[in-house]
Amino acid sequence: MNKIPVIGVIDLGASGGRIFFCRRDSGRLSMEEVHRFVHEPYSEIDENHTRENEPEEKSFWDLFHIWREIVAGLKKITSRGELELVSLGIDTWGCDGGWLDSEGNLMEMIPHNRDARWESSVKELRIQFSGQELYEKTGTTVQSFSPLNQIYWYAKNHPGIVAKAHRYLPFVSLLYHFFGGKPGIDSSWTSTSLLSSPGSCEYNRELMKELELPVEKMPPINPPGFILGKCNAKIASDLGCEPFKLILPCTHDTAGAFTAAHTGKNSVIISSGTWYMVGMNTPEPIISETAREAGFINIGGYRENIFLSGLTGSWPAQQLRRQWSKNEKKELSWKEFTELAKKSPAIASVLDIDNPVFFADSDMEDTIKTYCKETGQPVPSTRNELARIVYEGLALKVSHAVESLKAITGMKFDEIVIGGGGTYNKMVNQWVANLTGLHVHTGLPDATSAGNALVQAVTLGWIDDIETGIVELLEENMEETYAQRTPEKSMIEKLNKLRELMA
């Protein structure tokens, strides 16, 4: 029997992972999800280091749980006798990594990007370089979780590990390493790491030398679509298949989502999920003080630059939902969470969801109430009100980002195209349409996974170009359009309030 060749897609987000396969039948691509799992970081107490006279708590990714779930998901593909897995691509978040010894073993577990330890070194970096100087050198801004800062922290605090290490591998590269692939990463990941120059496929050796960082221990940078080799024969045998190609898509999930956006010439693109990335494709990086001050950065995409602003997105809502599910010992669905928001009367409170207080993995309900109290606003008293103001905060922040994008680029946009999990959030999408005065069109809900599959499909010669594949995938997805309506007066007032909070 002739087997059907399929592409494997591993899409890892900050709180869960999904595995798909992509096939091409009757002249079009289609995707099928086969496995979904959740994961959470775990913490350890470090008695040797203290913070405010208390033992320091360190947070790590549960790497081996993630690996086991990946294997379980791939077996669901290979166990189907009619399918032949011919390639695999992996995408993840754009930070975090680990140090390997000369035998390829991980020297310690991978710290989580929300770990508090990164704060000390990022303060040093911001003293050593002005924000504009780093922006000009890298096209982006330094954050505590930026790989440049994480590696700098290790160089300052654990020089022994750095000295003994043979190689540093980003989290996504480490997974390819487990499969037997050659060390490597793609330019979409390094562009967001501050390790490379704007629009470049090379490390910023001058900057890394100035910071005394080991550029010689970094993996080679490749363009999206590069083949890292084939899966190790032993791993393939355990999976029940022949060795398959290991292909780098846009490994940074945001770049993957932008790759799968079906847009016109003058479109705002939003990749929606834990983070909401609001931006546009540009031929070249946009480097200016105005762009930096507005929170816009440049990252590498598939054969073009992406100019965007990263917003906290659905993180506060995710934390509330997780907190309430744990308290009730019952999973609260996103539909139920949204119903809570719908049933709430509007209250005057406004959240700047990008305020650092909302970044931590903490008691989000208490954090929101404390923020409202400290900013002199009504304190939400019910779950309905809490759900509503985090959704309102998201819509307000997205609308403000679109305003800023217009001002920086001088563009007159025709539409907003949103892909990812936010395609299902009708409440927020309608608010965004109302506040921006632009029609909002939903694209692929699995945009990052689709972007992953599309790059592999081009590499394998299944399709001639990305746009062809997008059109084929859209045939099986229901697109929605949210026409602009006159926004409620209260929402306009809240947008003005948001500007005050951000000032």
Side-chain angles (χ1 to χ4, degrees):
M1 179 181 74
N2 290 329
K3 292 190 174 184
I4 301 168
V6 297
I7 290 168
V9 172
I10 298 173
D11 176 20
L12 285 181
S15 59
R18 297 179 301 167
I19 297 177
F20 294 77
F21 69 78
C22 176
R23 60 193 286 180
R24 194 159 198 258
D25 287 330
S26 304
R28 75 177 183 90
L29 294 174
S30 62
M31 294 183 64
E32 181 178 329
E33 181 180 322
V34 296
H35 189 58
R36 183 182 290 246
F37 62 93
V38 297
H39 63 85
E40 293 184 356
Y42 67 93
S43 298
E44 292 181 355
I45 300 297
D46 187 347
E47 298 287 350
N48 297 318
H49 295 84
T50 60
R51 180 181 297 273
E52 297 179 354
N53 298 320
E54 293 292 332
E56 191 170 57
E57 184 177 17
K58 295 183 176 180
S59 182
F60 300 88
W61 291 105
D62 196 346
L63 174 62
F64 297 116
H65 166 69
I66 292 171
W67 174 253
R68 286 192 297 270
E69 291 290 349
I70 286 172
V71 170
L74 291 179
K75 283 183 176 179
K76 291 181 179 179
I77 299 174
T78 59
S79 63
R80 290 171 59 165
E82 78 279 13
L83 304 180
E84 178 189 6
L85 185 63
V86 297
S87 72
L88 181 69
I90 310 171
D91 64 77
T92 68
W93 49 91
C95 52
D96 307 327
W99 301 92
L100 275 64
D101 62 22
S102 58
E103 296 182 355
N105 299 313
L106 196 60
M107 297 176 69
E108 66 171 23
M109 293 305 291
I110 299 178
H112 193 273
N113 53 65
R114 295 181 188 269
D115 192 293
R117 77 186 77 176
W118 312 126
E119 291 295 336
S120 61
S121 53
V122 80
K123 290 176 182 176
E124 293 180 27
L125 279 178
R126 288 169 176 162
I127 292 172
Q128 191 166 349
F129 297 97
S130 70
Q132 180 63 12
E133 187 177 3
L134 268 181
Y135 195 73
E136 291 174 353
K137 288 176 180 291
T138 66
T140 185
T141 54
V142 66
Q143 305 291 340
S144 61
F145 54 79
S146 299
L148 178 76
N149 180 57
Q150 294 178 339
I151 295 170
Y152 180 69
W153 183 90
Y154 268 99
K156 291 290 183 181
N157 295 279
H158 285 288
I161 288 179
V162 177
K164 292 178 182 178
H166 175 70
R167 178 85 65 184
Y168 175 88
L169 287 184
F171 191 98
V172 65
S173 300
L174 189 62
L175 294 175
Y176 278 107
H177 170 70
F178 286 175
F179 279 111
K182 295 179 292 186
I185 191 62
D186 85 299
S187 54
S188 74
W189 193 93
T190 53
S191 67
T192 193
S193 68
L194 284 87
L195 296 169
S196 62
S197 302
S200 171
C201 262
E202 299 290 336
Y203 287 107
N204 190 328
R205 292 179 177 273
E206 180 183 337
L207 176 60
M208 295 184 74
K209 182 179 180 181
E210 192 170 352
L211 292 171
E212 299 181 346
L213 304 183
V215 66
E216 73 281 359
K217 298 184 180 184
M218 303 303 295
I221 304 175
N222 306 285
F226 186 83
I227 300 174
L228 288 177
K230 283 197 171 185
C231 174
N232 176 279
K234 174 65 168 59
I235 298 271
S237 177
D238 291 344
L239 290 172
C241 63
E242 295 296 317
F244 45 84
K245 293 179 180 178
L246 298 168
I247 300 177
L248 290 171
C250 290
T251 60
H252 180 205
D253 50 12
T254 298
F258 270 66
T259 299
H262 181 54
T263 68
K265 185 177 180 181
N266 300 325
S267 303
V268 177
I269 302 172
I270 300 178
S271 167
S272 60
T274 301
W275 296 88
Y276 265 56
M277 304 297 187
V278 182
M280 61 185 291
N281 294 317
T282 61
E284 301 291 337
I286 298 175
I287 309 291
S288 71
E289 180 65 5
T290 302
R292 185 187 72 83
E293 289 181 344
F296 280 79
I297 63 172
N298 298 271
I299 67 170
Y302 184 74
R303 300 180 180 175
E304 58 191 339
N305 183 72
I306 301 171
F307 182 64
L308 60 80
S309 177
L311 310 179
T312 298
S314 64
W315 172 254
Q318 287 178 9
Q319 289 298 93
L320 285 178
R321 176 174 167 262
R322 182 179 297 157
Q323 184 177 346
W324 295 341
S325 296
K326 184 177 181 180
N327 292 344
E328 299 298 327
K329 295 182 173 58
K330 178 185 176 183
E331 186 72 15
L332 180 71
S333 70
W334 278 115
K335 182 178 180 181
E336 291 170 325
F337 185 93
T338 302
E339 284 300 314
L340 288 174
K342 284 181 179 179
K343 292 176 181 178
S344 171
I347 65 171
S349 303
V350 175
L351 304 184
D352 174 8
I353 60 171
D354 283 324
N355 188 294
V357 300
F358 299 118
F359 184 73
D361 186 0
S362 60
D363 181 338
M364 188 58 68
E365 183 172 331
D366 181 67
T367 299
I368 292 170
K369 290 179 178 180
T370 300
Y371 174 86
C372 290
K373 184 177 180 180
E374 291 180 349
T375 53
Q377 302 185 81
V379 177
S381 59
T382 67
R383 288 184 176 180
N384 298 72
E385 292 176 346
L386 286 160
R388 182 176 177 106
I389 65 171
V390 296
Y391 273 172
E392 283 187 351
L394 175 54
L396 293 167
K397 198 74 185 203
V398 168
S399 302
H400 182 268
V402 173
E403 283 182 358
S404 299
L405 189 60
K406 289 179 182 177
I408 294 166
T409 63
M411 293 280 291
K412 182 178 180 181
F413 294 106
D414 300 324
E415 63 178 0
I416 296 174
V417 177
I418 182 167
T423 58
Y424 300 114
N425 197 325
K426 296 183 178 183
M427 176 181 284
V428 170
N429 294 342
Q430 187 61 63
W431 280 336
V432 169
N434 297 348
L435 288 165
T436 62
L438 296 172
H439 282 23
V440 173
H441 303 286
T442 59
L444 294 167
D446 302 310
T448 301
S449 303
N452 183 325
L454 289 167
V455 172
Q456 293 189 70
V458 171
T459 301
L460 295 172
W462 286 17
I463 53 177
D464 293 331
D465 54 64
I466 295 291
E467 187 64 23
T468 297
I470 294 173
V471 172
E472 292 178 7
L473 289 176
L474 280 171
E475 291 179 12
E476 62 179 19
N477 288 273
M478 182 68 70
E479 298 177 79
E480 289 198 55
T481 298
Y482 298 83
Q484 183 266 345
R485 302 172 187 163
T486 302
E488 299 171 16
K489 182 180 178 181
S490 62
M491 289 296 280
I492 297 296
E493 292 171 348
K494 288 182 178 183
L495 189 55
N496 290 329
K497 177 65 176 178
L498 174 64
R499 296 186 186 107
E500 293 176 12
L501 291 169
M502 294 173 62

